[in-house]
Amino acid sequence: MGTWIQPVLTSNGSLGDILSVSSGGGANSDAYKAFDSSATSYLNKMNSGAWLQFVTSDIISINSISIFSDDQYLPQSGILQVSDDGVNWIDVGSWLDSEGASVSAVVTLYPYVASVSGNYFRLLSQSKSALHPSNNADISNVVIDADYASESNVNFNLNLDTRLTAIDSSKIQDGLKIWLQFNNDITFD
């Protein structure tokens, strides 16, 4: 496991552990600019309904996400969403710049969310900049603090027969081979 290192992107293509970045809902197509560590480039048109999505090659567990705008055009509010398939999204956090004058915001995880693990993440804007409502909102940088997810914090949903009597964790090999003991020993390869 260990700490996940966010790569610096120079295009929307794959680099390191980020397989892709994309934007939609009205945002321009330069999604990588939110991950290029430059204060002078930015993802524009992050108005209400616009989104910025990134996909990682491995499942990561998010500790925190901070978003920045170098010129006070930060979207006033938004939602962090996570997905395991890129289709079905769950809201797990949000940000709100109540005064509308900030150049940064920290995405706060909802109280019922113990941790956020996945490999599809989306920042969904719910508003324009409060300070500059006649202009487009933008995000100049996204900073992600995350760890590689361990087996212990990845949820597996197993619908098993009630005859299940034990799971021998010492026999779990290659991450997904599970030895189950019913009335007879059964393995899944």
Side-chain angles (χ1 to χ4, degrees):
M1 302 326 113
T3 302
W4 181 76
I5 306 298
Q6 178 179 334
V8 175
L9 301 182
T10 56
S11 69
N12 285 343
S14 176
L15 180 63
D17 285 337
I18 291 186
L19 293 179
S20 68
V21 292
S22 56
S23 53
N28 69 14
S29 61
D30 294 331
Y32 77 92
K33 290 182 178 178
F35 297 95
D36 69 357
S37 293
S38 171
T40 59
S41 66
Y42 51 87
L43 173 60
N44 196 5
K45 298 183 182 176
M46 280 297 293
N47 304 320
S48 183
W51 48 265
L52 169 63
Q53 176 177 311
F54 62 98
V55 181
T56 59
S57 56
D58 290 306
I59 295 174
I60 61 173
S61 181
I62 298 287
N63 300 316
S64 68
I65 294 182
S66 299
I67 57 175
F68 299 88
S69 174
D70 64 331
D71 53 10
Q72 298 178 326
Y73 287 90
L74 190 70
Q76 184 177 12
S77 62
I79 296 172
L80 170 63
Q81 298 177 313
V82 65
S83 173
D84 62 358
D85 60 8
V87 176
N88 301 297
W89 296 91
I90 298 170
D91 297 350
V92 294
S94 64
W95 75 89
L96 174 63
D97 178 10
S98 60
E99 296 180 22
S102 296
V103 294
S104 67
V106 174
V107 177
T108 304
L109 297 181
Y110 295 143
Y112 59 83
V113 177
S115 67
V116 176
S117 295
N119 61 332
Y120 291 86
F121 300 92
R122 182 179 281 181
L123 295 168
L124 175 64
S125 175
Q126 293 184 307
S127 64
K128 286 185 161 190
S129 164
L131 191 61
H132 304 286
S134 62
N135 295 339
N136 290 315
D138 67 55
I139 295 177
S140 61
N141 275 302
V142 175
V143 177
I144 305 161
D145 176 23
D147 296 313
Y148 287 103
S150 66
E151 286 183 30
S152 64
N153 60 4
V154 175
N155 296 322
F156 293 99
N157 294 318
L158 298 175
N159 295 318
L160 301 173
D161 192 301
T162 56
R163 295 176 291 158
L164 175 66
T165 58
I167 295 176
D168 184 356
S169 62
S170 67
K171 295 183 181 180
I172 296 176
Q173 297 174 2
D174 299 330
L176 294 176
K177 289 182 182 177
I178 302 174
W179 179 278
L180 298 176
Q181 184 178 0
F182 291 86
N183 293 332
N184 298 313
D185 289 336
I186 300 172
T187 61
F188 297 89
D189 294 321

